[in-house]
Amino acid sequence: MPDQATVLALDDKVLLDVKGVGRRFGGLVALANLDVAIRPGEALGLIGPNGAGKTTFFNIIAGAIPVSSGSIHLDGEQISGLSPDRIASKGIARTFQNIRLFDEMSVLENVLIGRHRFFRASLFGLIFRTKRAHAEENLSKEVARKVLARVGLADKMAQPARSLSYGDQRRLEIARALALEPKLLLLDEPMAGMNPTEKADLSRLIVELNRSGMTILLIEHDMKAVMGISKRVIVLHHGEIIADGSPDAVRADRTVIDAYLGRRG
Amino acid sequence: MRKAFVYLTAAAALTALAALPVKAAEEVKIGFTAALSGDFAAYGENMQRGLELAIGEINAKTDNGGVTLAITTADDRGLPSDGVLIAQRFCSDDTVDIVMGYSFSSVALAAATIINDCQLPVLASAVTSPDLAGVSPYFRRNVLTDAVQGELAGTYAAKVLGAKRIAALNQQDDYGIGGTDAFVAAAKAAGAEILSREAYVLGTKDFKTQLTSIKAQTPDLLWVGGFYTEAAKIAQQARQIGLDVQILGSDGLLSPKLIELGGASIDGTILYGMFDPSVAKPEVQAFVKAYKDKYGEEPNAWAALAYDAGYTLNEAAKLAAAKNGKVDRAGLNAAFAEIKAVPGVTGPTTFQENGNREGTVVYLQVKDGKFILAPKQLN
Amino acid sequence: MDILLQFFINALMLGAIYALAAVAYTLVYGILEMINFAFGELFMFGAFLVVSFMLPQVSLFGVMVPMPGLPFLLAAPLAILFVAAMGYLIERCAYRPLRFAPRLAPLITAIAVSVALQNLAQSVWGAQELSYPSFFLLEAKPIQIGGAYISMVEIAVIVTAAVVMTALHFYVKKTRMGRAMRAAAQDVEAAALMGIPVNRVIAMAFIIGSGLAALAGIFYGAVYLFAHPHMGFMPGLKAMVAAVLGGIGNIRGAMLGGIVLGFAETFGAAYLPNGSAYRDAIAFGILILLLLFRPQGLLGTRLPNRLADRGAMAFKGSASAIDAGLARLSAFFAGRDLVRYASWGVLAVVAVSVFFIFPSPYWARVFVFVLIYALLASGLNIVVGFAGLLDLGFVAFWAVGSYFTSILFVEVLAKGYGVDMSSVWWLFYVNLLLGGGLAALFGMMLGYPTLRLRGDYLAIMTLGFGEIIRLVATNWVDLTRGPMGIRGIPVPSLFGYKLGSPVQLYLLGLVLLALAVFLIALMVRSYLGRAWVAIREDEAAAEAMGINTARYKLYAYSAGGFFGGVTGVFFAHSQQYISPLSFTLFENILILMLIVLGGMGTLAGPIIGAAIWVVFLEVARDMPFIQQHHELRFMALGILLVVLMIFRPQGLLGQKRQPLMMS
């Protein structure tokens, strides 16, 4: 595998292009003029101290919060201004910082929700259970089973989501997002609250996913965890990007250290 | 198990033996239905009380032609659908000989087809919709239809009271609309001008808006086609905004509660009804006293009509028992057609072929917290 | 000019009463985000208590009881204290256990409390209106301003309302408890973390709110001179509308909302065509317009939090002794195939009913009603149980179906064109579809403006819609024959063979119910049902997974509406007579409660709930104490539901997990 620098030089194709995005809440500037480009196949880490604007940035990409200024393009198509469900249908899937599963649904059904955008059957088709309706349901079930096997939940498919352990719930959230067959996967602190073994497992899973071609944007509070996954890290502080580069470069960056230590830079 | 069975059989046999020698009195069972819960339970409750009073008196008689009355009650909540269910319940219950009650015409209308199919006689006492006339050969009522009442009142307003400028308010239901339609037509025919007509929903509390508009029209008479609860509020609020106008009301106003709720404001209001609590007739006074003793309140038109219905039923039952030796639905229904001028606190009861009652109304006036016979009557 | 001045006075007085009660709603909503429907009943208790305290004797439970005969100025504070205590107790016993339950639970509990209190009042004080005893304010002569009059009571109402609300304003602004309340209103969890005694703050909000509701009720009684068990219902709804109007959670907004509503109602009733007949619809009309264009209310700044964190109806298991016992029953069904499970429910009903219906037309008729309510509940269950949207206007769909077929058959074909109705027997079957379709269309119309709203707002909005439909059916006499109703609707028939007997209707209804359950099962067991349940469980997550929540909510409304409309058609033809009296808010509440009783979001729950409740209602008629106090039947329902909500929120047979996939 060529190193990051050569890739950048050879291919400046961009999957997600964030241009001059800002977000204000009343007088408060949560995000100021962000420019971020995510390339296909990349695993980009987004770190920063509490309240830096990481989750706001996520919510803006996913459409849960509208931008105040600037624009976002996915594969050259503008997605800023679209509703969250439209953005999801275009191929951006996310997980939530505080797990948001559909508690009363089974593990398999949760993952099938991720397949929602692939269903086409009409009401007529559903009521008369046409071949097509059956076929697409079966296809999605097949995909869902595969995804669940991949995250290691194959033996828990029939359980209600709420009965899973914390770590498994995190995995299920990722599986649900994967079922959407996203171009870009947004992971919001997926390792929060996990013990070291769980963290290691999940980290391995994310790396595998990225190796198989999935573009990932990962928020993590814990710098160490990101470093093992991402080749490129962005540091957000007070709504601004204060560093962008390889993990090692970022770790050595003076402003970043100041930000994490609480000094204003 | 076995033992118990033996005892039971023995007990049953003994009871049967004991019952044999004396001829049991013929029990006529009334299926009573009305709205007994919900917003408008008060009217149904009045009816039940009037009827139960009559039943108690009748059953206390030593010689009543071998007839005793019994009652079972069912709450229809004022819902047509419950009316259907209850009608079917009474139809299927062989012990029920007659249905009485009904506080809303729409409930009776919904029940009519079922009652007709099972040939169960009905004697209703508060439903005035013209649609109910001739709805079934088994359906009768001892209250005049609102059309008849309204027409008489319209003529009375224009001719006897000499009203020239009339404002009308009506309760938005079959009772209020039917009565007021007839009232307006008759008053116009008799030369009065109808300045305005507005509807309100049963249960309305605030009339100030309508009354303020009415005040600006300077009417000399205000017609209220509705019930006492709203009429009391209309009278009070009229006085509160300085509208001093003669009120003429339909028989739905005839309740001591009108005076209790309306206080001084209601004084002078004229209304009509079939029951005159002020009349010095002994049977009326006895009824009023007995009702007060039993329930701690004075009877109103609903109670009086239900009370009379009880006595009318008793007459029909006695007639049927004398003729057939027993009282059944068919016999009872035939007897209703035959009985004439059964005396009662609302005057004599005779039924027309379409089930309506023959009769007329008297005009009453509220004076010093009492109903008196109005000084002017329609001749 | 005089007339305008008089209107102004009337409006101000009415507005002051609404404002007082609206503040009660807004106080509690601000902190708990819960609409306490029971304030309407506390309002009523305020009036009853003050009247009782002022009289020398009062009939309680039909027994004359001597009373102190207090003067008004003593009786009123006493009544307010009493009601405040009631409010506290209700919060403590019925709502606090549900503090962290899904947001529909406290709302349904509040409705149940309200039903129980209404019927309790009828048992205590009787069904008659109690007249207000005279006291100094009533005896004073009204003041004349030009041609307009204002009575001393009205002055007292307006002045007291102004003083009380100013005092409240300062209380909330300046005192420690007031500041704690505001903090809790901002964010309950954060307030708790900051060491604010949240339980005490909430209890205080209920105490003050209940006191205000009682005060409003006392005044309302004094102005209109009466007390009645159902007097609080409509003013309660109006006050709630006023609170929303001003921006719920905002105290000054509630005051403004009350006044605005008072004026809108007074002037609307005066100047709109047929305004006085439609006056109750005015409030709901304004509400709908407001929610369409400015859902945050007149003074509200914060938009109702659209994406609530709590699911609508997803219960995290609650442990209790009752639960353990009933859990066995659920365990029997758990994990079984959904359609089979539903068929079990239907089959059980059929099996039991067969023993009754053939020998007795009465029981056949009872089961026809079981079927009608089961159909309605199944339809509403799509909206409430699966999609998690509270709908208090569902009876409107039922009414649309009923009126559609009745007007077409009787008014248009028979009366308009002189068509022999038996010659178009097949039209009944067509109308089942058309009536359903029309109602589905109404569902879209109702659904559209509510899309931006969350649970409780939605509840009020749908309630307003349902009431408007009922008022139109009552007052548009030319179309619907108004309160007189439409009669002579033909019974269903097949090739000239009438299906009019109770048993035939029962069988026809059974076919319809089976079809309905089957259709609903097909919808639920697909991506459609999954999308609904996902919205119910977590709307934000559903959106993030690509579900267009607005669209699927509309689908839920239309699907529910469709079955409501179908039921309406069947209902009209089986009863042969319809009138607006059938389509009341109370019926809607009843249908909702049947679903809760049986188990929300299950296919068999609505059917079982309907069977249990309708059969109980009929059996209860024979009980001796019911023969004397018919209202106890409904009080029992209210209490049963509160208990159910606390101990077994998933319903009697609520299976917790529903398969949502094609098999």
Side-chain angles (χ1 to χ4, degrees), chain B residues 46-371:
Chain B
N46 292 328
M47 290 161 67
Q48 187 177 349
R49 288 177 170 183
L51 181 59
E52 284 181 342
L53 181 65
I55 293 170
E57 289 175 7
I58 290 163
N59 287 346
K61 287 183 183 176
T62 44
D63 175 30
N64 192 40
V67 172
T68 59
L69 303 182
I71 186 170
T72 174
T73 61
D75 169 23
D76 63 34
R77 298 192 285 150
L79 287 184
S81 48
D82 272 37
V84 166
L85 211 51
I86 291 165
Q88 196 81 59
R89 176 188 172 89
F90 290 151
C91 277
S92 290
D93 183 348
D94 289 336
T95 65
V96 171
D97 301 298
I98 181 166
V99 178
M100 296 176 82
Y102 289 120
S103 38
F104 290 97
S105 292
S106 43
V107 180
L109 279 166
T113 41
I114 291 170
I115 300 241
N116 187 50
D117 288 348
C118 70
Q119 306 180 340
L120 177 60
V122 181
L123 176 52
S125 56
V127 288
T128 57
S129 165
D131 281 356
L132 282 165
V135 75
S136 154
Y138 300 91
F139 183 88
R140 288 178 186 80
R141 52 181 157 180
N142 71 346
V143 60
L144 297 181
T145 69
D146 29 52
V148 174
Q149 298 183 354
E151 192 184 332
L152 290 170
T155 317
Y156 176 82
K159 290 239 170 91
V160 181
L161 297 178
K164 294 274 170 281
R165 299 166 58 77
I166 299 176
L169 280 174
N170 73 269
Q171 185 169 304
Q172 184 75 323
D173 64 7
D174 40 14
Y175 172 74
I177 295 171
T180 304
D181 281 349
F183 171 86
V184 165
K188 267 189 189 158
E193 187 191 351
I194 305 296
L195 302 169
S196 65
R197 175 177 174 180
E198 283 201 74
Y200 62 85
V201 181
L202 181 60
T204 301
K205 313 297 179 217
D206 184 77
F207 294 94
K208 286 194 178 167
T209 307
Q210 286 129 304
L211 291 169
T212 304
S213 306
I214 286 170
K215 187 183 169 196
Q217 298 157 358
T218 63
D220 53 13
L221 185 113
L222 174 61
W223 159 258
V224 178
F227 289 174
Y228 60 86
T229 33
E230 286 70 33
K233 292 181 184 70
I234 289 170
Q236 270 167 340
Q237 291 169 31
R239 301 301 177 257
Q240 279 172 18
I241 60 157
L243 168 61
D244 197 11
V245 64
Q246 174 66 53
I247 295 176
L248 173 64
S250 62
D251 63 341
L253 270 64
L254 183 45
S255 166
K257 277 267 170 190
L258 175 76
I259 298 169
E260 193 189 320
L261 293 167
S265 310
I266 203 79
D267 224 47
T269 298
I270 298 177
L271 57 140
Y272 62 76
M274 304 175 67
F275 160 63
D276 173 8
S278 70
V279 173
K281 280 196 273 186
E283 66 263 30
V284 174
Q285 284 182 336
F287 163 63
V288 172
K289 183 176 180 310
Y291 194 92
K292 264 174 93 169
D293 288 349
K294 190 161 181 191
Y295 303 112
E297 61 173 24
E298 292 203 32
N300 60 13
W302 279 265
L305 285 164
Y307 177 81
D308 273 3
Y311 273 96
T312 308
L313 165 68
N314 189 39
E315 281 310 304
K318 283 197 291 191
L319 181 63
K323 265 193 169 171
N324 313 329
K326 64 180 165 70
V327 182
D328 56 12
R329 293 175 180 179
L332 208 49
N333 198 50
F336 272 124
E338 285 176 42
I339 50 172
K340 293 243 162 8
V342 181
V345 294
T346 65
T349 303
T350 305
F351 295 108
Q352 297 168 350
E353 210 161 306
N354 62 7
N356 286 348
R357 177 184 177 179
E358 287 175 357
T360 185
V361 294
V362 289
Y363 291 88
L364 305 168
Q365 188 163 30
V366 180
K367 187 109 197 205
D368 303 325
K370 280 200 167 62
F371 288 111

Side-chain angles (χ1 to χ4, degrees), chain C residues 1 21 40 98 107 147 177 190 310 331 423 427 606 619 634 654:
Chain C
M1 203 48 226
L98 296 172
L107 197 59
M177 186 48 118
R310 285 187 284 169
S423 69
L427 191 55
V619 173
F634 295 95

Side-chain angles (χ1 to χ4, degrees), chain C residues 10 44 96 125 142 241 318 499 517 538 560 615 659:
Chain C
N10 300 346
M44 172 265 294
R96 193 175 297 181
W125 283 287
V241 169
S318 61
L499 302 171
V517 172
D538 190 328
V615 171

Side-chain angles (χ1 to χ4, degrees), chain B residues 36 39 46 73 75 77 79 88-89 92 106 172 198 206 208-209 215 233 236-237 240-241 257, chain C residues 122 128-129 147 149 154 220 224-225 230 266 276 362 365 475 483 577 581 587 621-622 627:
Chain B
L36 296 166
D39 286 22
N46 292 328
T73 61
D75 169 23
R77 298 192 285 150
L79 287 184
Q88 196 81 59
R89 176 188 172 89
S92 290
S106 43
Q172 184 75 323
E198 283 201 74
D206 184 77
K208 286 194 178 167
T209 307
K215 187 183 169 196
K233 292 181 184 70
Q236 270 167 340
Q237 291 169 31
Q240 279 172 18
I241 60 157
K257 277 267 170 190
Chain C
Q122 188 183 330
Q128 299 274 357
E129 279 194 0
Y149 289 75
E154 290 172 318
Y220 191 77
Y224 301 116
L225 296 160
H230 296 264
T266 303
S276 46
Y362 162 55
R365 191 66 83 170
N475 290 316
Y577 171 83
L581 288 178
E587 283 298 289
R621 285 194 200 281
D622 288 326
Q627 285 273 314

